[in-house]
Amino acid sequence: MPTVTPQALTRTVQDFLGEAAGAVVLENGAVVFDLAQSKYSISGEYNRCLLHLWSAERNAVRRVLDAEIKNGTLRLAVQRLGQARPSKLEICRERDRRSPTARRAARAAYEHKLRRTLERHFPEFKIARLTSGVDLEKSFGPIYARGLLRQGRTAFALLGVNAQETQSSIDAALTFGILWLDVCRQAQAANVLVEGLKMFVPSGTSALVRERMANLNRDAAKWRLFELDERHDALVEIDCADRGNVATRLVHAADDEAARERFKESIARVQEVLPNCEVTVLSAAEIVFRWRGLEFARSRLGGIPGSFRSTEEIVFGVGAEERVLETGNEATFTELANCLRDTRHPYGPRQHPLWRLRPERWLESLVVGDVSVVDGRLEPSCLYSQVPAFSASDRAMIDVLTTTHAGRLAVVELKADEDIHLPLQGLDYWSRVEWHHARGEFPRFGYFGGRELSAEKPLLFLVAPAFHVHPATDTLLRYFSPEIEWEFVGIDERWREGAKVVFRKRPEAKQHHGSAETGRPSDFRLPIAN
């Protein structure tokens, strides 16, 4: 094994992990840490490179002996403390670790399985086509099998995803299902009435798709969702008509004033190094420090060994990296704070990693500073950012939750870059907020300071830079339930200098909403206001 200095190894691991926020860590072929929910620290002291990984489930310390980056994976030769024999650790940027050949084989096999399933369970329909070919012009990749089920002069668009794909790909399937339905309707307009969409997802994975599908326009299309057990060729239809059955739970709002008082020493210590940084209360026992939306430190209550007392502990780092602030590393902390101040500002060096990291959180910090820039009806004095919204398949964070001056709830979902999933992600968060609101949970869980909330359904605001709006956005919004009052807000591309609205789009308030009988979605008027 070639000799590599601990300092060089430390730099290699730091650089890789700094650009791999959602990476997974594998040991002996099994995922042991997901860096989206885990933390790490790297130490190059005492002529050793030590990698410390921890989460709520486990804790691991490994001495790094060698490192190699290949095909988006950091391969480490490591040594457990107290053991002489090295072992392998892999850190993969991509959650789907299969080779391209394996992915192609699995998708081809799924096409055949899906075809047999369709022939067995829908004998009255003819499979007009079935493909997983790439069509970048229409935003279709190879993950989803797409086709058309035809019966005489009527048909259904169909889309399926196999069990070997990631859960995030399965959750995203409805976006592409809606787009495929729209493509089929345009292509078949003269010959066939495409009534709706049939979607096929693996067993036990449909929760998020079902919740989103429940909030689509049932007059514009017939929506049907199935779970397919590929091993046993078992097909079960999932009921998507019940909008009240949402798998979500709310966390209690923290007492902001009490938490700031509790952590006043930590706040003073951090703000002495970086004045005017953002302080956000996460819970009664933890606060976070951000600079233009980028988290760089936390203060939390930790137990004192051998005692029932607790003490404040400050940890710092960007991304999943974290280290305890101590006398010996105060200079490192100050260096990080100075680097943030000097680079992360509107006119900073655009190629610097700290300037480019977490653009949506940067945009969020501007909106939180004055939410009325999104809409003059929104109340700036009482809002919540990064509200946890737990569901059956994920732990999501609602960007901004606030109210109008009249007390109507409003969900604000932000994207700084082009994202095809913005509409349905916003729809997902809206449905969770609406579910909790209908049950009166926000006041009970300490939100909005006892203010009386309107009984109306929440508003939904989708915000993105004007030239970073995905072309599919209008198509997706046309299929939203008419009960959802949404507004798309396009902001100036130079939003880091201050968010300014350049256009607004909304559905026409009163109009005919199309139907499955006509095979056409609603015709929405999308005016440019400014």
Side-chain angles (χ1 to χ4, degrees):
M1 184 178 295
T3 302
V4 183
T5 66
Q7 293 75 23
L9 287 172
T10 300
R11 176 54 59 187
T12 298
V13 177
Q14 284 178 332
D15 290 348
F16 184 89
L17 289 176
E19 298 289 335
V24 290
V25 182
L26 290 82
E27 192 166 38
N28 299 322
V31 175
V32 289
F33 292 99
D34 180 346
L35 292 185
Q37 285 86 38
S38 305
K39 295 289 185 179
Y40 72 88
S41 67
I42 307 165
S43 171
E45 298 176 349
Y46 308 111
N47 204 34
R48 295 189 303 175
C49 176
L50 291 181
L51 174 61
H52 182 193
L53 298 151
W54 67 95
S55 67
E57 294 79 26
R58 56 176 60 90
N59 186 56
V61 178
R62 300 288 184 268
R63 181 181 179 182
V64 180
L65 305 175
D66 195 15
E68 177 190 21
I69 299 176
K70 189 174 182 180
N71 298 326
T73 297
L74 176 62
R75 298 176 179 176
L76 302 176
V78 299
Q79 189 177 49
R80 292 172 180 259
L81 298 184
Q83 295 186 6
R85 180 176 297 179
S87 59
K88 297 291 184 183
L89 204 69
E90 291 185 316
I91 304 176
C92 307
R93 284 198 181 102
E94 295 292 333
R95 292 171 178 265
D96 188 345
R97 304 179 305 278
R98 296 174 296 166
S99 68
T101 301
R103 287 196 291 267
R104 285 194 297 270
R107 291 161 183 168
Y110 176 73
E111 276 191 41
H112 293 297
K113 290 179 184 178
L114 182 59
R115 180 179 291 276
R116 291 198 304 269
T117 298
L118 295 171
E119 291 171 345
R120 184 174 294 111
H121 293 275
F122 303 100
E124 70 278 16
F125 284 90
K126 177 183 177 182
I127 304 172
R129 59 182 301 189
L130 190 61
T131 180
S132 56
V134 176
D135 186 345
L136 296 181
E137 183 181 352
K138 294 183 173 63
S139 302
F140 298 118
I143 294 176
Y144 307 104
R146 313 178 302 278
L148 190 70
L149 283 174
R150 183 169 176 174
Q151 184 183 34
R153 297 283 294 174
T154 63
F156 273 86
L158 71 93
L159 184 139
V161 55
N162 73 75
Q164 294 188 47
E165 304 296 346
T166 62
Q167 183 63 48
S168 59
S169 295
I170 296 168
D171 291 341
L174 184 57
T175 291
F176 298 100
I178 295 172
L179 296 178
W180 178 243
L181 166 64
D182 204 68
V183 166
C184 290
R185 283 181 161 175
Q186 293 181 38
Q188 303 292 329
N191 305 311
V192 176
L193 171 65
V194 182
E195 296 186 76
L197 172 70
K198 294 180 189 283
M199 281 192 57
F200 302 85
V201 300
S203 294
T205 67
S206 66
L208 195 58
V209 175
R210 191 210 68 77
E211 291 167 15
R212 292 176 176 180
M213 188 175 279
N215 289 288
L216 298 180
N217 190 343
R218 309 197 78 78
D219 290 330
K222 295 178 179 179
W223 310 100
R224 298 183 66 182
L225 177 63
F226 301 85
E227 286 191 351
L228 171 60
D229 184 334
E230 297 174 36
R231 178 175 296 181
H232 301 102
D233 190 29
L235 196 65
V236 177
E237 184 163 8
I238 306 300
D239 180 14
C240 295
D242 183 8
R243 291 196 183 118
N245 184 21
V246 177
T248 181
R249 61 186 176 89
L250 194 64
V251 298
H252 280 272
D255 186 328
D256 196 87
E257 185 175 339
R260 288 173 182 269
E261 175 63 25
R262 185 177 300 114
F263 288 100
K264 62 182 179 181
E265 292 183 9
S266 294
I267 293 173
R269 185 178 180 185
V270 173
Q271 290 193 331
E272 183 181 2
V273 178
L274 189 57
N276 302 318
C277 66
E278 304 147 24
V279 181
T280 303
V281 175
L282 297 184
S283 70
E286 190 170 26
I287 62 172
V288 65
F289 300 92
R290 300 187 178 104
W291 182 255
R292 302 191 190 277
L294 180 62
E295 179 183 330
F296 68 93
R298 290 189 180 215
S299 182
R300 60 197 180 200
L301 294 180
I304 300 176
S307 170
F308 291 106
R309 292 180 299 149
S310 61
T311 184
E312 293 179 37
E313 176 184 71
I314 298 176
V315 296
F316 69 96
V318 173
E321 185 176 11
E322 185 177 280
R323 65 185 75 180
V324 177
L325 179 58
E326 300 169 327
T327 303
N329 60 22
E330 284 184 338
T332 304
F333 177 62
T334 301
E335 182 182 355
L336 172 61
N338 290 339
C339 191
L340 283 169
R341 184 194 59 221
D342 295 340
T343 61
R344 197 169 174 84
H345 59 83
Y347 310 103
R350 292 173 174 252
Q351 298 307 312
H352 197 285
L354 292 180
W355 195 91
R356 293 186 288 110
L357 275 174
R358 308 290 192 274
E360 285 165 23
R361 300 287 77 82
W362 191 338
L363 175 57
E364 177 193 306
S365 70
L366 298 176
V367 171
V368 168
D370 182 13
V371 74
S372 64
V373 72
V374 173
D375 192 287
R377 293 172 291 171
L378 299 181
E379 174 59 65
S381 64
C382 190
L383 56 79
Y384 302 87
S385 63
Q386 293 296 289
V387 179
F390 297 92
S391 79
S393 61
D394 72 333
R395 180 185 188 275
M397 304 294 283
I398 299 170
D399 287 340
V400 177
L401 177 63
T402 185
T403 69
T404 64
H405 296 295
R408 185 176 182 182
L409 284 172
V411 178
V412 182
E413 177 62 11
L414 307 158
K415 291 295 180 185
D417 296 312
E418 184 175 296
D419 191 333
I420 194 172
H421 301 295
L422 172 58
L424 288 200
Q425 193 171 72
L427 177 66
D428 175 29
Y429 298 157
W430 179 93
S431 70
R432 302 186 198 200
V433 170
E434 197 278 330
W435 192 91
H436 292 295
H437 176 50
R439 286 151 184 80
E441 292 188 357
F442 286 107
R444 291 207 313 269
F445 281 70
Y447 291 85
F448 300 107
R451 183 182 182 188
E452 184 176 352
L453 299 177
S454 167
E456 291 182 278
K457 291 181 181 294
L459 297 168
L460 173 61
F461 293 91
L462 305 172
V463 183
F467 293 112
H468 284 75
V469 179
H470 196 281
T473 298
D474 282 349
T475 299
L476 295 167
L477 289 170
R478 285 202 302 269
Y479 285 95
F480 275 24
S481 167
E483 295 181 10
I484 300 171
E485 191 174 334
W486 58 264
E487 185 168 312
F488 196 101
V489 180
I491 58 174
D492 189 272
E493 292 295 310
R494 297 163 295 183
W495 55 264
R496 287 178 176 84
E497 301 173 24
K500 298 178 181 178
V501 175
V502 295
F503 73 82
R504 299 179 185 275
K505 296 182 179 182
R506 59 177 68 91
E508 189 175 355
K510 294 180 181 180
Q511 60 177 15
H512 176 65
H513 283 286
S515 70
E517 283 67 38
T518 64
R520 296 178 59 194
S522 310
D523 293 325
F524 287 88
R525 188 177 68 186
L526 302 172
I528 296 180
N530 294 349

